[in-house]
Amino acid sequence: MLGKDDEGVVKQPFIIKYTIYNLKDILKENNRRDYTSMNAKIEFYSYKRFIQKAKKGARYGGDYDDPCDTYNYEGSSTGGSSSSDTGSNFGLGTSSGGIPCAILVWSSGGEVFGLSWECGDGDSGLLEVKGGDDDCYGSGGSTGGSSGINDGNGPIDPREEECEPGHTFVDGECIPDNLEEDKIDSSELIGKSKCLNDKLNENGNNFVNDLLKKFKGKSEFDINIKSVKNVYSKNRKEYVNAITSYKKGDRNINIQISSEKISNMSVLSGIRTILHEYIHADIYRKLNTKDNQDEDEVKEFKETYLKYKREEHHNSMATLYIGSMTQSLKAIHKKILSREYNYLLESYGVETLDNIYESLAWQGLKNHKLDAWKNLGNDTTRINNTLKYYSHGLTKDCPK
Amino acid sequence: MIKLKYFLFAICLFPLLIQAQIKQDTLFIKYDYRLLLRNLDSSTKNYYYSIKNKNKGSEFMYFLEKKIHKKIETKSKIFCLKQMLKKSKAYYKKGHFSNWKLFDYLTKIYKDKIFIVKKDVWIEVELIHEVNE
């Protein structure tokens, strides 16, 4: 929906959601509804956020919980000319701040084309619902007060006018209209994989947060992570836990997680699988970046990577990431499965517990005949034994 | 003396000129029956071309079939896959090559499209590298 305020200033497109509590009562004889008599909650949403969420498959209704503004409207058939096709009706309501407001709803043929309001704090205005190109991030429609009906974010930022054509002012900067959102798209993750991925994103330590941050915001690469029932390795000709792939020149790094395999894993092992794949994505980023190729971190990584003649990804991961993976697993275990963590700590002691995290970090690496694994010498026996004795007893259900 | 300067300048510039010529928009690779295998991905129902490799590790590089064209007129060079494998220095043992090294080599010599040329059929493909756990 597009709008203009009472001074003729165009407003951004926005979404209005009406929750009408007396839908039956407002139905007139000619089968049209008299919206001026409605008792309703009127919520204004940013169309950008709406579109972004719609792309991710959110349902309108339950999944859109961040209106720019909310007004409660209580229509009355006694005021105005609600019985005619065109007119206004008076209602009492409250603004999103809970301040009482007198609200006039202007309608024609049962269709609302404007709202005017006067609130207890002196805020008043009129919103004409037609023609415009704006949104709730931007300018407001208020005349008398600091915040109009569509003015969730205060006064106009003068920098907004500096945006070039084809750009929109969002959160303090001009964003190209055709710029896709930079992201880690996990909308196709389901069940346990989705739950574990959410836990990792919400409870990850600094290493995890820094790693994922590289793909968020204005990143050079995006990640698309999704669940697939069975993930098949073309090279090994067998089903595997997960695959990460990269197409030359692409912005997306794709991760497939086997929902079948992950359903039989412990929570820690499942989180380790997802983290392992995110590290593969980070390796692809470091190898293919143009923006950050001169950074020391990238140069040093490539130096290690190029030392290996085969299994470059896994050899580099074993050399450079094992310690961080071990610490990440420990931190997240403490946070999301504290009872299990405390039980293992009391029963076996801190050394065994640390062995468990280190051994889990090696899962997914140790079977690839890596130089780094061979270099561990006798430690390989300790790691294998730890996995053998302790990994099966770990919690399998993703915590709520 | 001036001639010598120009000569040295030309020598220095030569590798750069070669590099500029190598990085082309479209890469044509001759279909080599001894090296390439056409496979069907049963989950996506897409065909892809793999290169014979005794390295059965966790990494894999393949050409994903996008579109089959009739003969395309081009004056561009059609490359020999065997030669490219050699130049990439991907082989580390007889019959074993590093999927990444070949992928990396190929990505550096073309910008946009890649075709596998098989007599009168030109197969447009995409270059993909994947790693499994």
Side-chain angles (χ1 to χ4, degrees), chain A residues 315-332:
Chain A
N315 266 314
S316 308
M317 195 187 294
T319 308
L320 300 171
Y321 290 84
I322 277 286
S324 303
M325 287 173 83
T326 303
Q327 291 307 315
S328 302
L329 290 171
K330 183 175 185 169
I332 204 164

Side-chain angles (χ1 to χ4, degrees), chain A residues 236 241 246 284 311-313, chain B residues 58-59 98 129 131-133:
Chain A
R236 283 163 58 187
N241 292 337
Y246 176 69
Y284 277 124
E311 292 290 339
E312 291 95 328
H313 263 250
Chain B
S58 64
E59 296 186 31
S98 154
H129 185 273
V131 55
N132 63 256
E133 205 191 74

Side-chain angles (χ1 to χ4, degrees), chain A residues 46 49 96 107 112 142 190 200 209 213 220 239 247 250 298:
Chain A
S46 148
R49 274 184 257 155
S96 51
S107 68
V112 176
S142 169
I190 54 164
L200 182 63
N209 292 335
K213 214 189 287 172
E220 191 180 358
Y239 292 108
K247 187 168 79 185
D250 213 348
V298 171

